[in-house]
Amino acid sequence: MVDRFEQFAGYISGIFRQIQKLEREELEKCGLKGAFAQYLIVMTHYPEGITAAQLCEVCDRDKAAVSRVVAELAEKGMVERAGEKGTLYRAPLILTEAGKKAAAFVAKRATVAVRKATEGLGEENRKIMYDALGLIFSNLERICAMGLPE
């Protein structure tokens, strides 16, 4: 059982590390940090704006992490507040033209990365892989919410 756990955890954490490495290397080309990738992509799905509170929920990050990224993106001219609604944390944030350009770059490079990473799988195996990953994620989410059974 331990061997299976080590293999499972090793692959999952290894995949995550490789994704972070790719994000870091690709975003450096734009003068950005790899951590910005997820935020930029998520914000493209909210053209009318998304609040920092919503970003916390959608990106599964804490308020401090989101605040740091939003501040850095704003400093780089990638995001701006939409109007003057509420506090900085509650004001909708939108991508600027520079932010949209960076997000398009991230999306394009992510598409290439996923295509290359799943090369040789074929459509049937790709569907099985995504179904299996979705099931594993749901199961782990439930276990974390309810606790590990004895």
Side-chain angles (χ1 to χ4, degrees):
M1 184 60 117
V2 172
D3 289 335
R4 202 160 111 187
F5 171 77
E6 289 171 358
Q7 186 177 29
F8 175 79
Y11 282 143
I12 297 297
S13 64
I15 289 168
F16 183 65
R17 280 192 311 274
Q18 295 305 315
I19 289 170
Q20 287 181 313
K21 181 179 179 187
L22 284 170
E23 288 174 341
R24 190 171 49 253
E25 289 173 356
E26 289 300 316
L27 265 70
E28 279 178 3
K29 295 174 183 176
C30 298
L32 300 174
K33 293 180 180 177
F36 296 173
Q38 182 181 21
Y39 298 96
L40 289 168
I41 295 298
V42 166
M43 291 183 73
T44 64
H45 301 294
Y46 297 88
E48 318 78 39
I50 182 171
T51 65
Q54 291 170 310
L55 272 174
C56 288
E57 187 176 321
V58 174
C59 296
D60 195 25
R61 298 289 190 265
D62 63 37
K63 184 177 177 178
V66 170
S67 293
R68 278 191 303 275
V69 169
V70 167
E72 287 185 63
L73 287 172
E75 185 179 305
K76 291 185 175 293
M78 302 280 175
V79 300
E80 61 188 13
R81 285 177 32 181
E84 298 296 321
K85 300 174 186 169
T87 66
L88 186 60
Y89 190 66
R90 299 210 185 281
L93 302 162
I94 57 171
L95 290 173
T96 63
E97 286 307 311
K100 289 175 186 175
K101 185 177 176 183
F105 174 79
V106 170
K108 181 180 176 184
R109 298 306 291 159
T111 299
V112 171
V114 170
R115 186 179 71 241
K116 296 300 283 179
T118 59
E119 206 169 61
L121 276 178
E123 280 307 309
E124 185 178 340
N125 284 334
R126 186 174 288 111
K127 182 183 178 345
I128 291 167
M129 179 195 69
Y130 283 118
D131 288 347
L133 287 172
L135 179 62
I136 290 167
F137 176 77
S138 295
N139 289 342
L140 287 171
E141 203 172 39
R142 187 175 56 255
I143 290 166
C144 288
M146 299 173 75
L148 192 60
E150 294 300 322

